[in-house]
Amino acid sequence: MSDEHDRPSTTRKIIHVDMDAFYASVEQRDDPTLRGRPVAVGGSRARGVVAAASYEARGFGVRSAMPSVTALRRCPDLVFVPPRFDVYRAISQQIRAIFACHTDLIEPLSLDEAYLDVTEDRNGLGSATAIAEAIRAAILAETGLTASAGVSYNKFIAKLASDQNKPNGICVIPPHHGAAFVAALPVKRFHGVGPVTARKMEALGILTGADLRDQSLAFLQRHFGSYADYLYGAARGIDHRPVRAHRIAKSVGAERTFETDLSAREALHAALERVVEAAWTRIERSGATGRTVTLKLRYSDFRTITRARSSTQGVTDRAEFLAMGMALLDQQLPIDGGVRLLGLTLSGLGVSQAEQSDAARVPVQPELPL
C-alpha cells in the first residue's frame, strides 16, 4: 500500500455547493408562468439537446444531454426554453462573490457548482456547517435560487453529500462517518465513475462502495490501471486532493450539432473549420496551451467516437490545431450513415510548478469542526 493511503484523511473542511437545476431554475424564476411546470433549457428542434431540466421534468426521466425528441416522448407537456448563458454567467458571478466572503479557496467546476475550502473560519461562524448554511441563505436572498451543499473533510465525500438531500438540502459527513457513508452508496454515484466504468465494475461484482473496498489495490490496478489509487482511497473515504483556487481546465474546445446529417468530405471539412473557429477563440481567451487534439464524432444512430493525436511540442497556433483535426477526421472517412455532431478539443493543458507543489502538500488537522 502506498504512503498516499496512510496519510490522515481528516485534514480539511470542504464544502461542495451545487445549485439546484440551475439553468431551469433561473428560467422559472424569471418567468412565473413556468413555475411548477416541466421545463427544459435547450433546443426543441429535431436536432436539439436538453442542456438542463427542471425537477418537474426530471420526474418524467428527462435529463441533461438527452436528445430533445426523446425528452418530448417522455414528457409531452415539456416546455422548451432557449438558453441565456449571459444571464447564467452573471448570476454565477453573484454566487462566486458570496463564496469569496467566506474563503479565497474556491474551485469552480462549472457555472453552477464549486468546491470551497473553509478550514479557516474567516468570519468566526464556528463550524463548516454554519458557513454552508450562511452561503445557502445568502444565495437565496440575493438570487432567489436554492443551492444544495455537502460538508465533509474531503472533496470526494463533499460532492457525494451535496447530492444526498437535493433539492435545497444540506448533508454533513464527519470524518468518523465517511467510510460508512461511502460503503453504502452505489459505485455509479462516485464522481469519476462513468457509465462505462460502472458497467465494468458490475461485471466484476462491484456494485457498492463496500464491494469496492473489499478489493485489493493489486486487483484494482490490474483492472483499472492508474485509476486504481483513486478508487482504493475513495472506497475508504480518503481523498487528499486540495481545493485549487486557480483550477486549470482539463480541456478547451467546441462542438456543433447539425440540422441534417453530414457525410460528404467537403461538408465535414467546412463544418470542422467552423468548430475550430469557435474552439480557438475559447483557447486564446483562456490562455491555455496543450499537446493533445481530440476529435468527437456522433453518428446519426447516436453512436459516439473520439480520436486523439498529440504533438510533442504542444499546439501553439490555430493552423496546427485545424490541421491535426482535419487529419483525425480524414482517418474516419468515408462516413456511413452521416454525422450529427462534430467537436474538437485541446487537452493535456499545462500545470504550473506552484500547483504541482500545492497538490503534494497536506495541511495540518484544523480545529474548526464540521
Side-chain angles (χ1 to χ4, degrees):
M1 189 186 305
S2 66
D3 291 340
E4 178 76 9
H5 301 302
D6 291 331
R7 296 176 185 170
S9 58
T10 55
T11 55
R12 300 180 176 95
K13 300 296 170 277
I14 307 297
I15 302 172
H16 180 258
V17 180
D18 192 8
M19 299 301 295
D20 297 320
F22 183 48
Y23 298 172
S25 294
V26 170
E27 300 305 331
Q28 289 178 315
R29 181 198 71 174
D30 293 349
D31 183 352
T33 67
L34 298 176
R35 294 172 191 171
R37 301 174 66 186
V39 174
V41 175
S44 59
R45 300 169 303 175
R47 296 292 181 177
V49 175
V50 175
S54 68
Y55 282 98
E56 295 86 351
R58 294 180 189 187
F60 290 89
V62 177
R63 296 288 185 271
S64 62
M66 177 179 286
S68 298
V69 290
T70 303
L72 279 168
R73 279 199 300 269
R74 294 190 177 186
C75 181
D77 294 329
L78 189 63
V79 181
F80 278 92
V81 180
R84 299 182 296 156
F85 288 107
D86 56 337
V87 175
Y88 309 148
R89 279 191 286 269
I91 297 171
S92 181
Q93 288 304 311
Q94 281 184 273
I95 295 167
R96 300 269 175 87
I98 293 170
F99 296 161
C101 292
H102 297 274
T103 180
D104 294 327
L105 295 175
I106 305 165
E107 181 178 338
L109 301 179
S110 61
L111 291 178
D112 61 345
E113 63 173 317
Y115 290 114
L116 287 69
D117 187 323
V118 296
T119 300
E120 178 187 349
D121 188 7
R122 175 185 291 177
N123 298 319
L125 297 183
S127 72
T129 302
I131 296 171
E133 290 287 31
I135 287 170
R136 292 176 64 239
I139 289 172
L140 181 61
E142 294 188 27
T143 71
L145 302 170
T146 63
S148 295
V151 183
S152 198
Y153 57 95
N154 64 42
K155 290 165 73 172
F156 173 71
I157 295 181
K159 185 171 175 67
L160 287 172
S162 69
D163 197 44
Q164 193 73 2
N165 294 321
K166 270 186 165 290
N168 196 23
I170 186 169
C171 179
V172 181
I173 306 296
H176 57 283
H177 288 162
F181 174 71
V182 171
L185 294 176
V187 288
K188 63 184 179 183
R189 274 195 55 190
F190 284 23
H191 180 55
V193 176
V196 174
T197 303
R199 287 195 294 271
K200 182 175 181 180
M201 287 184 173
E202 184 177 357
L204 293 169
I206 302 172
L207 301 178
T208 67
D211 295 333
L212 186 61
R213 185 190 57 204
D214 290 342
Q215 310 306 319
S216 68
L217 181 58
F219 175 90
L220 295 177
Q221 288 171 334
R222 187 160 63 252
H223 291 282
F224 301 101
S226 60
Y227 196 35
D229 281 340
Y230 170 76
L231 292 173
Y232 187 89
R236 290 157 176 77
I238 299 171
D239 178 13
H240 296 301
R241 295 172 301 158
V243 171
R244 293 198 178 114
H246 302 288
R247 181 174 178 265
I248 292 180
K250 293 182 180 180
S251 64
V252 183
E255 59 184 42
R256 293 289 182 269
T257 300
F258 311 119
E259 289 292 333
T260 57
D261 296 336
L262 304 181
S263 57
R265 183 175 186 273
E266 295 77 12
L268 286 165
H269 276 204
L272 184 61
E273 287 184 7
R274 291 192 292 274
V275 169
V276 166
E277 183 177 353
W280 195 256
T281 298
R282 294 176 184 176
I283 291 167
E284 287 187 322
R285 188 184 302 138
S286 69
T289 58
R291 298 189 310 106
T292 302
V293 174
T294 302
L295 175 76
K296 177 180 178 181
L297 290 177
R298 178 167 297 150
Y299 295 102
S300 55
D301 60 359
F302 287 92
R303 180 171 53 92
T304 304
I305 67 165
T306 58
R307 297 291 184 269
R309 172 177 292 188
S310 295
S311 165
T312 55
Q313 301 301 318
V315 179
T316 57
D317 59 44
R318 181 184 180 281
E320 183 180 8
F321 184 59
L322 174 61
M324 292 176 70
M326 288 293 188
L328 289 167
L329 176 59
D330 286 342
Q331 290 174 0
Q332 306 310 311
L333 299 178
I335 300 288
D336 292 327
V339 170
R340 61 178 284 121
L341 178 146
L342 185 63
L344 200 69
T345 59
L346 181 66
S347 60
L349 306 182
V351 178
S352 70
Q353 289 296 322
E355 286 172 314
Q356 291 178 29
S357 298
D358 180 53
R361 289 196 296 268
V362 178
V364 177
Q365 169 69 33
E367 295 300 320
L368 178 67
L370 286 177

